[in-house]
Amino acid sequence: MTTAQSSIKNRQSKIKYYWSLTKPLQTGLLLATGVAGYMSARCPISSIPTNLGLVISLFLSIAGSTVLNMWWDRDIDARMGRTQHRATSAGLVDGNEVLRVGLLLSVIGVGWAVAMDALYGLVVFAGLFFDVVVYSIWLKRRTCWSIVWGGISGAMPILAGRVLGLGSIDWIGLTLALGVLLWIPTHTLTFSMKFAKDYAAACVPTFPSTYGMEATRATIAISSVLAAIAMIVAGYGIGMEWGFLRLLGVLSAGLLMLAFAITFKPSERVNFGLFKYASVYMLAAMILVVLEVM
Amino acid sequence: MTYKIAMKISPLARVLLLLTGILAAYQISAGIDGFGIVPIIAYTIGFGVLLVAGILLIIWGFEVLDSPVVVIVSTAIPLSLATGLVWQNLASLRTPYLILAIGGFLAVTLTRSLPTPGKIPTVVLAIVHGIAGMTIFLLPIIFSVQGKTHPMFSLVGVGGALIGLGGLSLSFLKAGKPILSKELILKILPVILFLMTLCFVVGFGYG
């Protein structure tokens, strides 16, 4: 292999590592909530520059904050089986370089957002700030309640999208954000139950280690129910057609059924099922919001 | 003795289940607009169970069919579809059929949840499924033949035949007396579910 070929291969590997550090699936889902939030405002959606600006600024901001989280958590990631193979914790990429890339993505993303609309930029910045500073740096290693702040940051893209479309913050935007905020525990808490030993080894306080499995399951069930209610209320507020509301109701019923199952017949399989179903639920809810407007 | 239903779900089966879910979602959101309140509720339940079941099959695989809850929940599909059909097409039987459907569902739920002697749970299940299945199979075909509805409405009957075929195959499999091999039944189940939903969606479009 020539030096040039080796250099290309190294660069390709690096791009692959950095791509994985942005958690493409999670970022994609949050991006989808942002686009849905924007479209929920029933604003003129044919503006290509605004659409592109929304997608790029949100993607860069979410990806940037995710990369910064990975950089900050690389020591605890290295102690957990689930995350020890990440490029940051496995030492496949230079820590300082990861920090620079994360900051660069974040600055460009937030800067772009502010340039598009000051309030939109503020909400995008709030999401990044809550995620990196409040959740990861300040609270994650101190209290299991850090997930609330992680949840708030996860709810910011949908609020940001709506703010960009509407020009202000309204109750529908806040309800949509609440729906996402309440949906996030089905993910984070299921993970913390499944990988309880990993988190214990890394000394990261979690709901299961602080309050026990039963309370954690109850929390997941309650938050799932409330998330479903919030999404239906938001759907009604947007002015969703009855057909779409019916469909949202059916999907919500599935979520409630699994929340019921996790409370009264708990098992790892049901946990996993709820975790997966919740992702499908949120994606479907976002698609319905988009279809409603189109 | 009952057989455990464990088999890895193939990518093709996942795609078919996804398409089944999309068709059911379409029917709930757009395919039943303009119907009366009771048919809308009935079809929403029927297609809703299909939709959620399709998603859960994709997530959990065929093992989900081992759950005793499946028997109860799956009863809701033919019962609700049959109730919707009767409500729309046989005005004189609306109330008796609605009572029969609710009573049948409760009977299946109770006999499957509480300790019930002998073959009562099986007999109850066979009666309830038999009545609902025959309604879905015969009503659209008879009405189409009589010219009371568009000929394509008979596709709902074809869907009813397919749901019966799938239900019977699974029932015999679970009872430990499979009429076809387990592999074949689980292989064709997603195909049956997809074709059945397609028939329902197209047929109801002409109903």
Side-chain angles (χ1 to χ4, degrees), chain A residues 241-244 246-247 250-251 253-254 257-258 265 269-274 276-277 280 288, chain B residues 24-30 32-33 40 44 48-49 51-52 55-56 59-60 63-64 68 73:
Chain A
E241 284 176 24
W242 279 111
F244 284 169
R246 273 200 302 271
L247 184 52
V250 164
L251 291 166
M257 189 189 74
L258 287 171
K265 264 204 146 184
R269 200 160 145 262
V270 177
N271 282 6
F272 178 74
L274 178 61
K276 287 277 181 188
Y277 186 91
V280 175
L288 284 180
Chain B
Y26 165 79
Q27 191 65 8
I28 294 165
S29 61
I32 51 179
D33 281 341
I40 282 182
T44 300
V49 172
L51 169 61
V52 174
I55 296 171
L56 293 181
I59 292 172
W60 277 326
E63 289 85 1
V64 72
V73 175

Side-chain angles (χ1 to χ4, degrees), chain A residues 179-191:
Chain A
V180 176
L181 166 66
L182 291 164
W183 160 79
I184 284 175
T186 58
H187 268 238
T188 49
L189 294 186
T190 306
F191 256 88

Side-chain angles (χ1 to χ4, degrees), chain B residues 52-125:
Chain B
V52 174
I55 296 171
L56 293 181
L57 272 170
I58 293 172
I59 292 172
W60 277 326
F62 292 121
E63 289 85 1
V64 72
L65 298 172
D66 282 325
S67 168
V69 181
V70 168
V71 177
I72 299 168
V73 175
S74 62
T75 306
I77 300 175
L79 269 180
S80 55
L81 295 180
T83 304
L85 278 169
V86 169
W87 197 274
Q88 281 187 300
N89 297 287
L90 295 170
S92 59
L93 291 176
R94 281 177 178 179
T95 308
Y97 204 93
L98 185 62
I99 293 167
L100 180 85
I102 294 170
F105 186 74
L106 286 176
V108 170
T109 306
L110 290 174
T111 53
R112 293 278 154 176
S113 313
L114 303 172
T116 313
K119 295 193 171 181
I120 292 175
T122 312
V123 172
V124 169
L125 189 71

